[in-house]
Amino acid sequence: MSVEEDQILRELHSYLQAHPSEETAIMPVYDAALDHSRRRTCTHDQRCPLVMTAAVIVDEWGRVLCLRHGGDYALAEAEPEDQDDSLRDAALRLLAEEAGIRDVWTEPGRESPFLVDVTPAGRHPYGPRLRVGIRYLFRAHSGAVFPSMLETGAVAWVPFDEVGIPALRGRLEGLLIGSR
């Protein structure tokens, strides 16, 4: 099974229910997914939004698991592949493959996307399309990553206030400050 537009629509709908103030930014993505779902094909000549997914994994110290990307650390994003049953599965698959992460969990009531960010064309390396990042929040103990991955610098636990995505920092701050 693979991720279908219907799943993307459900995730975006769920997110918009929780964050109605973000409707303006997300509606072009929602409309494109709705059109794909109805027609069962893309008629946008490869101009439709590019959907990426990411697992935001936070440890007991409020740090975020990041992968080495160039000379820095960044959240791992994945484009869903045919073997992924859901966007959440695609996000976790990438981190399992790249970081050896295991034993993650979702806090009750946090199964829906934690953040959806839309980046206009020209502000990302994916070409002339909108880039949509659908991010899910997971928790893990700091020891859930293979030690060799940390030792070689392939991954790192980064303080949430050093993550390079302002909307993500703000959302995490709102959630984590009360839980420390």
Side-chain angles (χ1 to χ4, degrees):
M1 181 177 189
S2 65
V3 175
E4 302 280 333
E5 281 81 7
D6 294 349
Q7 292 175 343
I8 295 169
L9 283 170
R10 284 191 301 274
E11 296 292 36
L12 292 174
H13 178 76
S14 173
Y15 183 79
L16 286 171
Q17 293 296 308
H19 306 282
S21 65
E22 297 179 35
E23 181 176 349
T24 302
I26 294 173
M27 282 314 289
V29 177
Y30 188 88
D31 289 343
L34 183 60
D35 188 56
H36 283 204
S37 177
R38 288 181 179 157
R39 296 176 191 253
R40 295 290 177 208
T41 188
C42 177
T43 60
H44 303 110
D45 193 33
Q46 298 303 315
R47 291 171 288 134
C48 52
L50 174 64
V51 175
M52 303 294 281
T53 185
V56 178
I57 299 179
V58 179
D59 74 359
E60 66 271 22
W61 305 104
R63 300 175 302 177
V64 178
L65 184 65
C66 293
L67 297 177
R68 176 156 308 278
H69 183 72
D72 216 351
Y73 289 98
L75 288 177
E77 278 191 334
E79 190 171 356
E81 295 179 358
D82 288 341
Q83 75 262 28
D84 298 318
D85 290 334
S86 69
L87 293 168
R88 289 168 49 95
D89 287 351
L92 287 173
R93 172 189 46 78
L94 178 67
L95 279 171
E97 291 171 358
E98 299 292 325
I101 187 76
R102 57 188 187 280
D103 300 327
V104 300
W105 68 90
T106 304
E107 293 178 358
R110 301 231 185 259
E111 295 85 7
S112 295
F114 162 71
L115 178 68
V116 175
D117 55 269
V118 179
T119 307
R123 295 189 182 163
H124 59 71
Y126 302 113
R129 300 162 59 185
L130 285 175
R131 184 210 128 282
V132 182
I134 300 179
R135 304 175 189 284
Y136 297 88
L137 181 64
F138 296 93
R139 300 295 291 220
H141 293 290
S142 55
V145 177
F146 289 144
S148 63
M149 300 304 286
L150 293 165
E151 292 164 6
T152 62
V155 301
W157 288 106
V158 176
F160 80 86
D161 57 352
E162 293 178 18
V163 172
I165 304 168
L168 179 67
R169 285 193 313 265
R171 190 71 45 91
L172 284 172
E173 183 176 30
L175 289 172
L176 297 178
I177 296 301
S179 66
R180 288 188 178 187

